[in-house]
Amino acid sequence: MADALPSATLYTDGGCRPNPGPGGWAAVLLRPGEDPLELSGGEPATTNNRMELRAAIEGLRALPSAHRIELFTDSEYLRKGITEWFERWQRNGWRTAGKKEVQNAELWRELAAEIARHRVSWRWVKGHAGDRWNERADELASAAMPRPPLPVEDPAAVQIFLGVAHSGTHNAGAWSVLLRFGGR
């Protein structure tokens, strides 16, 4: 009986810097009487759209049993994909109206499998507009983006190394700075 399903609220977000490039996804799962569950991850080479899909997939996957879920996203791609294009893509064997393969089809298939387990209501929320849980998902997704390694061996890079120490026992401190450029 669908009305007997436990309820949950899910906020998802994903992004890349630059797009395409290193990306991160996040989901914040809210269930009555429980602390928020925060999920996130990243990929070194991806797109914003792939990370938005991954966030929804992983957020839904985190629920061990069927739930009635209100899912909030600030992604027009995810919202329109689910509410306008999804059923037609499935009927057409994951092909567009122009007979081309749907972009990110493997992720849409994963999402379809997760949706089949739940009763999901899709909601769009304006990004970066002060919604507490959307902002939190954005923070988590940004923090999950892989960062390139520091260019320590790059001879063209300007490098600044800073060291600071303080001893409360002796009320003394020290600092140092090392500037390196061009091997000097």
Side-chain angles (χ1 to χ4, degrees):
M1 177 184 236
D3 293 327
L5 291 176
S7 65
T9 303
L10 183 60
Y11 283 81
T12 66
D13 198 21
C16 286
R17 285 192 200 108
N19 185 30
W25 61 267
V28 179
L29 182 59
L30 306 168
R31 290 186 279 184
E34 296 184 26
D35 290 336
L37 175 62
E38 296 180 343
L39 308 162
S40 62
E43 295 181 16
T46 189
T47 66
N48 285 347
N49 289 341
R50 292 184 67 80
M51 292 294 89
E52 294 285 0
L53 283 163
R54 179 58 60 201
I57 292 164
E58 297 303 333
L60 293 169
R61 190 174 280 157
L63 291 162
S65 62
H67 276 68
R68 188 178 65 248
I69 301 163
E70 195 168 19
L71 190 150
F72 290 86
T73 178
D74 62 9
S75 168
E76 286 287 341
Y77 174 71
L78 179 58
R79 184 187 66 83
K80 285 185 177 181
I82 284 296
T83 61
E84 297 177 23
W85 310 322
F86 189 75
E87 288 180 18
R88 185 175 47 232
W89 286 342
Q90 282 186 304
R91 278 194 316 270
N92 294 340
W94 299 101
R95 299 257 175 217
T96 65
K99 306 291 187 223
K100 294 180 182 175
E101 185 172 348
V102 170
Q103 287 186 348
N104 306 311
E106 76 285 1
L107 292 175
W108 285 107
R109 285 185 193 100
E110 278 188 62
L111 184 57
E114 290 305 318
I115 290 170
R117 295 188 323 118
H118 304 288
R119 196 171 96 205
V120 182
S121 297
W122 297 88
R123 306 280 186 255
W124 184 80
V125 61
K126 183 176 174 66
H128 311 288
D131 182 287
R132 174 185 178 185
W133 297 113
N134 176 259
E135 296 290 340
R136 182 62 183 148
D138 180 69
E139 289 170 8
L140 292 167
S142 293
M145 289 179 192
R147 304 291 191 250
L150 293 175
V152 175
E153 301 304 322
D154 181 355
V158 175
Q159 298 159 347
I160 301 173
F161 300 90
L162 174 64
V164 179
H166 181 263
S167 169
T169 305
H170 301 293
N171 197 23
W175 61 270
S176 65
V177 174
L178 173 67
L179 174 67
R180 185 166 85 173
F181 175 72
R184 300 183 354 198

